[in-house]
Amino acid sequence: MHDIQDRAEKATKITWIGFAVNSVLMLFKLFAGIIGKSEAMIADGIHSLSDLGTDVIVLFGFRFVGKPPDESHDYGHGKFETLTATIVGIILIGVGAGIMWNGGKSIYDFFNGTPIERPGWIAFYAAIISIISKEILYRYTISVGKKINSQAIIANAWHQRSDSLSSVGAMLGIGGAIMLGDRWHILDPAAAIVVSILILKVGIEIVIKGLKELLETSLDKEAENKIVQITENVLGVESSHKLKTRRVGNNIAIDIHIEVREDLNIKDAHNIATAVENKLRGAFGEGTHISVHIEPEKS
């Protein structure tokens, strides 16, 4: 229980830090985009606004993740973390699609005679500040996410990284539009479209992974082979079969049948099953849910 709460506290702390940074950056980038007349920077500011939304979702999700198993959740509340990561991915897809639509519309209007205004230097400087800030935040967040093995925090870190990439694209587009003349003002919305593609890619990958877990997809073959190998190396296990696996948020669930000598008494067979559980928890974590079914060895 302590480990679950400690993990939730670390996740909450890094998310609050991200929320504070994103709040300042969002206001600054929207201000710079409006004053500097830069569509790419306004899109970048909206992306930072979506970061605030995902921070709130992660904070809300970890209010449940930190709870121990109870009567209504025998396997704990790990699925809330998976659901949180999936929602973050869906928001990323929505943000990417919106930025792509706006950038495409501006390019279409440009080729139909509507001029694109030259962006100002304030938008360019805002992009540089955003790149540095969000890259630092990404590296800090991803390190915490990997340390506590949290898909929700890792997904949120990638949301931070996508904002950094968004600012890189905005910087290049704004810089080109400023320095290369009127004909190249189109680089501003073009940069926004490039950014949107990067955001969509990250969002789709996060959603696919989250849906696989929510739909009870089994672990990959490498993990399942490792489970079989660990189980069959336990003294007294003659063979194993009927392996079933799935993810429960940060943890995994393992259901496996083992065969033991048929002349063993119940106590000895039980001790073998306990040894299997201990070996698997040692390899996959103390929070692993394990069910071992004992069968007599087939002749």
Side-chain angles (χ1 to χ4, degrees):
M1 180 176 174
H2 174 74
D3 290 341
I4 295 173
Q5 291 178 337
D6 181 62
R7 184 169 170 271
E9 286 174 4
K10 289 178 179 177
T12 301
K13 178 182 176 181
I14 184 59
T15 306
W16 273 117
I17 292 172
F19 184 86
V21 173
N22 289 327
S23 297
V24 175
L25 277 178
M26 181 267 296
L27 293 172
F28 177 56
K29 288 197 284 189
L30 286 177
F31 173 78
I34 293 170
I35 297 299
K37 299 177 182 178
S38 169
E39 185 171 336
M41 184 48 59
I42 292 174
D44 204 19
I46 293 172
H47 189 191
S48 291
L49 179 60
S50 76
D51 286 342
L52 291 177
T54 57
D55 287 339
V56 171
I57 291 169
V58 171
L59 289 169
F60 180 77
F62 268 93
R63 289 187 60 186
F64 294 96
V65 174
K67 293 182 179 180
D70 53 32
E71 291 183 1
S72 59
H73 296 86
D74 294 328
Y75 287 91
H77 299 77
K79 288 290 186 183
F80 282 98
E81 184 171 350
T82 306
L83 180 61
T84 298
T86 305
I87 293 173
V88 171
I90 292 171
I91 291 173
L92 272 172
I93 291 173
V95 169
I99 292 174
M100 180 179 284
W101 171 265
N102 289 331
K105 184 176 182 299
S106 292
I107 292 173
Y108 176 81
D109 291 341
F110 176 79
F111 284 113
N112 280 277
T114 302
I116 297 176
E117 290 191 79
R118 177 182 179 273
W121 281 106
I122 187 174
F124 182 80
Y125 297 138
I128 294 175
I129 293 171
S130 176
I131 292 167
I132 296 171
S133 302
K134 294 311 290 278
E135 187 62 22
I136 292 172
L137 184 59
Y138 160 77
R139 291 179 183 275
Y140 184 28
T141 306
I142 199 78
S143 67
V144 173
K146 288 180 178 179
K147 186 176 181 180
I148 65 176
N149 194 20
S150 169
Q151 289 305 313
I153 296 301
I154 291 173
N156 208 28
W158 274 106
H159 199 174
Q160 314 288 8
R161 167 57 72 83
S162 72
D163 201 9
S164 177
L165 294 174
S166 173
S167 296
V168 170
M171 180 191 70
L172 295 174
I174 294 166
I178 292 172
M179 293 180 277
L180 297 178
D182 293 347
R183 290 186 302 171
W184 294 97
H185 290 178
I186 195 174
L187 288 176
D188 187 40
I193 291 179
V194 173
V195 167
S196 72
I197 294 171
L198 297 173
I199 295 170
L200 284 169
K201 180 179 181 294
V202 173
I204 290 169
E205 289 173 352
I206 291 172
V207 169
I208 289 174
K209 185 173 183 179
L211 288 178
K212 283 183 177 180
E213 291 185 19
L214 291 172
L215 295 173
E216 304 288 318
T217 303
S218 303
L219 301 183
D220 57 50
K221 287 297 179 184
E222 183 180 353
E224 292 197 335
N225 289 339
K226 183 179 179 181
I227 291 169
V228 171
Q229 184 180 24
I230 290 171
T231 300
E232 295 186 350
N233 281 338
V234 173
L235 185 65
V237 176
E238 303 299 329
S239 65
S240 66
H241 59 280
K242 292 186 178 180
L243 172 63
K244 297 177 183 177
T245 61
R246 62 189 174 94
R247 284 204 165 273
V248 185
N250 182 55
N251 299 315
I252 65 173
I254 300 171
D255 188 333
I256 192 167
H257 291 217
I258 62 171
E259 293 184 4
V260 300
R261 292 200 337 261
E262 62 179 10
D263 60 338
L264 291 179
N265 60 43
I266 293 175
K267 183 178 179 181
D268 290 337
H270 172 73
N271 288 339
I272 293 171
T274 300
V276 170
E277 291 180 14
N278 291 337
K279 288 286 187 181
L280 290 173
R281 285 202 175 92
F284 293 97
E286 288 299 316
T288 306
H289 306 281
I290 304 170
S291 175
V292 180
H293 179 78
I294 304 170
E295 296 180 0
E297 182 185 14
K298 295 181 177 65
S299 56

